[in-house]
Amino acid sequence: MTHSAYYSPNQRRYQRGVSLIELMVGMVLGLIVVGAAGSIFLSNKQTYNATETLGRIQENGRIAFELMARDIREAGSTACGNNIPIANVLNTPGDTFNWGDGLRGYEGNMAAALAPFGTGAGQRVNGTQAIELRSSASGGVTVTKHVPSSAVVHVNTANHGFEPGDVLIICDYSQATIFEMTPGGAVLHIGHNTGNSGEPSGGNSCKALSFPVDPDCKDKPKDGKQYDDNAVVAKLHAAIWYIGNNSRGGRSLYRRVAGRDAEEITEGVQNMTLTYLEPGNDYRTASSISLWSDVAAVRVGLNLQAVEGALRSREITGVDGDALNRQLAHVVTLRGRNP
């Protein structure tokens, strides 16, 4: 017998494979390791999503407060300063073009012309508050000459961007007047003649721009106030902030400027609480304000709800299964009305 043909019993013992029990134990240990790794991965993913969602909520709140604060600070202000008399010679100023001390709040059951209640995209959600703000817009032009008898204001540039039918505000150190622009005969001319234009403001009831407005002006035309050289003419800025329905089936914070479509500012804003500070009082609701001209500050509270992605409707949920919500608040003082 050769050496290669020799067989040893020990050789068979060393060539034995893995038993079924050993295989099952190994598989169980492997499953435990994979399960632990998967659990850690899912936990980290949930933590990341929650952190990202909270960051999105904070960012949405920051954007909302920053943009709202710009309009609120300027409420009631003109290019010539605050707290000057305001004449309004429009035929039908309504709520939209009525100065109203530059500020007005709406409770959830109060209708607003610029933001009607409805269920369509961009329409105001019933039961939610709103705030309407008016001021002179930036980018005004300078008066070089005013001829009251001709109802024409000469300005320093032809690139003013105004068109007949626009509602404008003119002011100097003594007063301001809200009127509708009429054709002035030249590109450097801004007219303020009488007539019904068919625009929402209804044209001007009086060409005289004096304060107070003469009730007999329509029947007995007068020349009225002559604005000084270097007076300023600008568009009347009227904007409303409210909670509206967005096109994705949720709610968003909206802003609408008179003469334009509503703009969606930030998504996920479910509600807005507005209170107003009058000297000598604590913050009060809109229905409790006696004089809007006395309001010195506005406290804005927003209820923000997490939404995953700007165009997706699936909500990020918290440990209780509900969407993550945060209540944020910010106080804005009106320029020139500090208590």
Side-chain angles (χ1 to χ4, degrees), residues 142-209:
T142 303
V143 174
T144 59
K145 183 181 180 182
H146 180 204
V147 186
S149 58
S150 301
V152 171
V153 177
H154 301 244
V155 295
N156 66 330
T157 177
N159 298 320
H160 45 65
F162 308 147
E163 297 180 357
D166 286 346
V167 176
L168 308 179
I169 181 168
I170 181 173
C171 67
D172 61 16
Y173 69 94
S174 63
Q175 72 158 74
T177 306
I178 297 171
F179 68 97
E180 183 185 295
M181 178 179 172
T182 60
V187 292
L188 290 172
H189 294 176
I190 295 173
H192 57 86
N193 224 321
T194 56
N196 193 321
S197 65
E199 297 289 335
S201 57
N204 301 314
S205 64
C206 179
K207 75 173 184 178
L209 302 182

Side-chain angles (χ1 to χ4, degrees), residues 64 70 91 135 190 211 215 323:
R70 295 180 186 180
N91 270 314
S135 63
I190 295 173
F211 179 88

Side-chain angles (χ1 to χ4, degrees), residues 37-196:
S39 177
I40 293 173
F41 172 78
L42 293 176
S43 177
N44 287 341
K45 185 176 184 296
Q46 186 177 15
T47 301
Y48 171 80
N49 287 340
T51 302
E52 183 184 34
T53 300
L54 290 174
R56 185 187 295 272
I57 289 176
Q58 295 286 349
E59 181 65 14
N60 286 350
R62 187 191 67 81
I63 292 172
F65 288 138
E66 176 65 25
L67 296 179
M68 283 190 72
R70 295 180 186 180
D71 276 355
I72 294 174
R73 287 193 198 99
E74 298 298 328
S77 66
T78 70
C80 306
N82 297 331
N83 301 320
I84 59 176
I86 308 288
N88 192 328
V89 299
L90 297 176
N91 270 314
T92 55
D95 288 337
T96 303
F97 304 112
N98 190 357
W99 187 253
D101 300 313
L103 170 72
R104 184 181 178 186
Y106 295 86
E107 298 287 5
N109 59 350
M110 298 170 62
L114 277 178
F117 293 121
T119 57
Q123 292 185 311
R124 183 177 163 204
V125 177
N126 192 22
T128 58
Q129 298 182 31
I131 183 170
E132 202 166 49
L133 307 156
R134 295 177 185 79
S135 63
S136 63
S138 58
V141 298
T142 303
V143 174
T144 59
K145 183 181 180 182
H146 180 204
V147 186
S149 58
S150 301
V152 171
V153 177
H154 301 244
V155 295
N156 66 330
T157 177
N159 298 320
H160 45 65
F162 308 147
E163 297 180 357
D166 286 346
V167 176
L168 308 179
I169 181 168
I170 181 173
C171 67
D172 61 16
Y173 69 94
S174 63
Q175 72 158 74
T177 306
I178 297 171
F179 68 97
E180 183 185 295
M181 178 179 172
T182 60
V187 292
L188 290 172
H189 294 176
I190 295 173
H192 57 86
N193 224 321
T194 56
N196 193 321

Side-chain angles (χ1 to χ4, degrees), residues 1 30 33-34 114 127 141 253:
M1 181 180 291
V33 172
V34 172
L114 277 178
V141 298
L253 177 66

